[in-house]
Amino acid sequence: MTEATNIQIGYSANRPASDPEAFEVRSAPVPRARAGEMVVRVEAVSVNPADVKLRAGSTPPNGFRVLGFDAAGVVAEVGDGVSGFAVDDEVFYAGSIARPGSDQRYQAVEARLVGRKPANVTFGEAASLPLTSLTAWESAFDRLSITAETEGDLLVVGASGGVGSVLLQLVRARAPKVRLIGTAGAANADWVRSMGAHEVVDHHGDVVSQVHALAPTGVDWLFTSHSEHQEAVYARLVRPFGSVVAIDDGPRDVAPLKDKSIGWLWELMFTDPSTCRSRSISAGSWTRSPPSSKREPSARP
């Protein structure tokens, strides 16, 4: 690296986005790669709900925070103990909410979080993938424990959204025995089918009757990015002993699910299983114990 200055974009006070000083541009020294890290010259970043939530949060405790999570770029420096990467490699990744974000020219990132950028996508396309694809993967294969041999019906609520679109593709490719039902408006129905959905129901109509026409006893699993005030509806959509996995925020009244012993699962990409700790974007930190084992979902009735 020859540059001596690193340009960063962040915020120091919680001002409305319309405020001319809502976002600040600052100069800082170019970071150096510590052991287990690399420094990436950032070529593209994306904006996700996580970015919006962080920006809407409280004033940073240190007075300034660099925003951004997902990024794609070129390796500029490799730290000690890092293998499999070299300077000038093209990479993509989702960073850590505990460190300065990707909205800067040079970013230091843990090598374990980084993957090689696929050669057939642009930097901009690669930067759009990490948070959505990780959330989709963990929802389907970690939280719902879907495998290549799993059979059943998966209802994807918000199937035309970022995570929903990726989840459809992943499950269609890796779990061919799972039937995928997506919810979407008429304008997005063809898109959802092109992403891998076997069936599409119009979320502007009676979703319960449309789903029951396809799965009379209910679906085995339900993924949702829009769960607020939908708990009672999901109780009608999911079969007994089925599961719901949600990625949005807020308290939920899961009592309607009890009569059918339906499980409610949360998915947060930033959950760290190595320490059993997760940091909320807006409310500090909390702890939990990880599950001791994973249960294979029941076969489709």
Side-chain angles (χ1 to χ4, degrees), residues 42-81:
V42 177
E43 298 293 337
V45 299
S46 61
V47 178
N48 290 290
D51 299 279
V52 177
K53 293 170 189 175
L54 176 62
R55 175 61 185 80
S58 58
T59 299
N62 64 354
F64 180 74
R65 172 150 193 170
V66 181
L67 296 165
F69 293 111
D70 288 0
V74 178
V75 176
E77 184 183 13
V78 176
D80 293 339

Side-chain angles (χ1 to χ4, degrees), residues 199-247:
E199 308 285 351
V200 180
V201 299
D202 188 345
H203 57 216
H204 296 295
D206 185 342
V207 173
V208 173
S209 64
Q210 292 177 77
V211 171
H212 283 173
L214 298 168
T217 61
V219 297
D220 299 86
W221 316 278
L222 187 153
F223 164 87
T224 178
S225 55
H226 308 285
S227 68
E228 188 174 12
H229 305 309
Q230 298 301 304
E231 302 92 332
V233 176
Y234 295 165
R236 300 173 62 193
L237 291 170
V238 180
R239 65 160 176 80
F241 305 105
S243 298
V244 175
V245 60
I247 64 170

Side-chain angles (χ1 to χ4, degrees), residues 187-295:
N188 293 321
D190 288 343
W191 165 263
V192 170
R193 290 189 182 91
S194 73
M195 292 296 100
H198 298 89
E199 308 285 351
V200 180
V201 299
D202 188 345
H203 57 216
H204 296 295
D206 185 342
V207 173
V208 173
S209 64
Q210 292 177 77
V211 171
H212 283 173
L214 298 168
T217 61
V219 297
D220 299 86
W221 316 278
L222 187 153
F223 164 87
T224 178
S225 55
H226 308 285
S227 68
E228 188 174 12
H229 305 309
Q230 298 301 304
E231 302 92 332
V233 176
Y234 295 165
R236 300 173 62 193
L237 291 170
V238 180
R239 65 160 176 80
F241 305 105
S243 298
V244 175
V245 60
I247 64 170
D248 51 347
D249 296 322
R252 297 292 179 261
D253 177 11
V254 299
L257 309 179
K258 184 175 182 180
D259 285 349
K260 295 169 72 175
S261 297
I262 296 169
W264 185 282
L265 303 167
W266 290 111
E267 159 59 24
L268 177 66
M269 189 200 76
F270 296 110
T271 301
D272 185 349
S274 67
T275 61
C276 305
R277 296 181 65 87
S278 171
R279 182 163 299 278
S280 167
I281 293 171
S282 59
S285 62
W286 53 273
T287 62
R288 69 168 177 85
S289 297
S292 58
S293 63
K294 292 185 176 180
R295 176 180 63 85

Side-chain angles (χ1 to χ4, degrees), residues 132-143 166-167 170 174:
T132 53
S133 57
L134 285 167
T135 302
W137 179 283
E138 292 179 0
S139 294
F141 306 126
D142 294 341
R143 307 305 292 133
V166 175
L167 187 145
L170 289 173
R174 299 184 63 88

